[in-house]
Amino acid sequence: MKTPLVVSMAVAVTAVSAFCSAAEPQKLVWPKRLSPGDTLMLIAPAGPVERDQVMRFKDHIEQRGYKVKLRDDMFDVEGYLAGSDQRRAEEFNEAFADPEVDGVLAVRGGYGCMRMMPLVDWEGVRKSPKLLLGFSDITALHAGMNKAGVVSFHGPGPASGLGSKEGPTDFTAKYVVRAVEASPAGPYVVEVPESVSKVESFGKGKATGRLVGGNLSLISALEGTPYAIDTKDAILMIEDVNEAPYRIDRMVQQLKLAGKLDHLKGVVLGKFTEDFVREDKLTDDKRFDTTGVLRQYFENLGVPVLVNYPIGHFPQNCTVPLGGEVEVDADAKTLRILAP
């Protein structure tokens, strides 16, 4: 006799087979925006999570007026994972199937999302679009959400300030609320003071398009899979942490060889933090540090490019809609979110 978990996983595998054969929709659905009083579910789809950090995050959300659900097995540890692939996929599927849940918040990245993606009920996601917030390894789930036709939100979780004792920075808090809550509505420009980050740019002019991407390591790893991102006529956003320049070079070159840089409308280069430094100091050629490598690929791409934008593994982590329309302005060095 099959257990409920086996049955649910079999359903998910059948659904993903249909999902993988479908083309990515040109027009994605925006999930319902959040308002105090809504119910949010916390999930751990990647690395193991700290109970104290999650509980501080839960308290912070409840103080804003939200109700919170979570499964106690989210604190399971299986090697470098928050429990088994089946546990994490079941938790994700439950969050999207539960009619009481209005939004889903991933409590940390790390590694593990790609392992569970074949077990996710993507057809269920398509039928019940909900807001998903997270970044880093959650990039894989964002890619799946976009393939399923749903806009998702690249932004901070407990490990990036929302669950710390000090709380998030003012900039981080302002733009996560501005991105995901229902009020106020309408387009807005993200205002980035130099004290937050000194944003630079390559190229000139403005460009509007779908924002795609996230963590560079995950984006490159998804190439050749059904979840590879579609960059045609899009604004590509990338960020990463603790990667040596040659690895950044290799991953961007992979995207280039795959044709993913050919038909872009614009680019947002987020934070590439904790740059790797060669101990032997064989060269001081700045063309081959992280900034130099990115410059080689994007400076003469012929589209507006924002550089050093406060997105990613950085305390000032701006929340943005993946799959949503944005405007990049290289002259003003601004990003405008074009809400539906």
Side-chain angles (χ1 to χ4, degrees), residues 170-335:
D170 291 344
F171 178 85
T172 298
K174 176 180 178 179
Y175 285 105
V176 70
V177 169
R178 188 67 180 83
V180 306
E181 289 197 346
S183 180
Y188 60 95
V189 173
V190 178
E191 299 176 358
V192 184
E194 282 200 13
S195 59
V196 168
S197 183
K198 186 172 175 55
V199 178
E200 303 291 350
S201 64
F202 300 147
K204 296 181 179 180
K206 300 179 183 179
T208 300
R210 251 178 330 111
L211 186 67
V212 301
N215 183 260
L216 177 59
S217 297
L218 271 296
I219 296 167
S220 63
L222 290 171
E223 277 302 310
T225 77
Y227 308 96
I229 63 171
D230 177 9
T231 61
K232 185 177 180 181
D233 296 328
I235 307 293
L236 174 65
M237 181 193 79
I238 56 175
E239 62 82 32
D240 221 317
V241 62
N242 288 336
E243 294 289 358
Y246 80 91
R247 288 175 58 86
I248 299 293
D249 192 336
R250 184 175 65 205
M251 290 185 283
V252 178
Q253 181 66 25
Q254 182 179 5
L255 296 182
K256 182 177 180 180
L257 291 173
K260 295 301 171 79
L261 306 187
D262 291 347
H263 303 290
L264 294 173
K265 285 191 171 182
V267 177
V268 179
L269 299 178
K271 291 290 184 177
F272 287 77
T273 42
E274 298 182 44
D275 289 352
F276 183 93
V277 179
R278 288 183 65 104
E279 291 184 359
D280 51 18
K281 301 288 186 183
L282 289 178
T283 177
D284 59 359
D285 191 335
K286 294 302 182 183
R287 292 175 300 167
F288 294 93
D289 61 15
T290 298
T291 300
V293 167
L294 294 171
R295 184 180 293 274
Q296 290 178 44
Y297 285 100
F298 296 105
E299 186 173 30
N300 299 309
L301 200 57
V303 299
V305 179
L306 297 182
V307 183
N308 199 36
Y309 206 79
I311 288 173
H313 296 75
F314 181 63
Q316 314 278 11
N317 190 358
C318 181
T319 301
V320 292
L322 292 175
E325 294 284 316
V326 301
E327 176 193 84
V328 172
D329 188 332
D331 300 320
K333 302 177 185 176
T334 58
L335 180 68

Side-chain angles (χ1 to χ4, degrees), residues 149-164:
V150 183
V151 171
S152 58
F153 290 82
H154 184 282
S160 54
L162 297 186
S164 68

Side-chain angles (χ1 to χ4, degrees), residues 49-76:
V49 299
E50 297 179 13
R51 185 180 293 269
D52 288 349
Q53 193 175 61
V54 170
M55 290 303 146
R56 284 195 296 268
F57 184 40
K58 177 176 179 289
D59 290 344
H60 178 75
I61 297 168
E62 290 175 335
Q63 287 170 14
R64 192 165 179 82
Y66 291 93
K67 302 170 187 173
V68 178
K69 283 189 172 186
L70 56 83
R71 292 167 40 143
D72 194 63
D73 64 0
M74 77 183 305
F75 302 106
D76 287 0

Side-chain angles (χ1 to χ4, degrees), residues 5-63:
L5 175 60
V6 171
V7 172
S8 66
M9 292 302 115
V11 170
V13 170
T14 302
V16 81
S17 298
F19 162 82
C20 291
S21 63
E24 182 172 340
Q26 291 299 306
K27 190 73 172 179
L28 277 67
V29 173
W30 285 73
K32 169 195 167 183
R33 296 299 187 91
L34 304 175
S35 299
D38 286 344
T39 298
L40 307 179
M41 183 164 173
L42 309 186
I43 63 170
V49 299
E50 297 179 13
R51 185 180 293 269
D52 288 349
Q53 193 175 61
V54 170
M55 290 303 146
R56 284 195 296 268
F57 184 40
K58 177 176 179 289
D59 290 344
H60 178 75
I61 297 168
E62 290 175 335
Q63 287 170 14

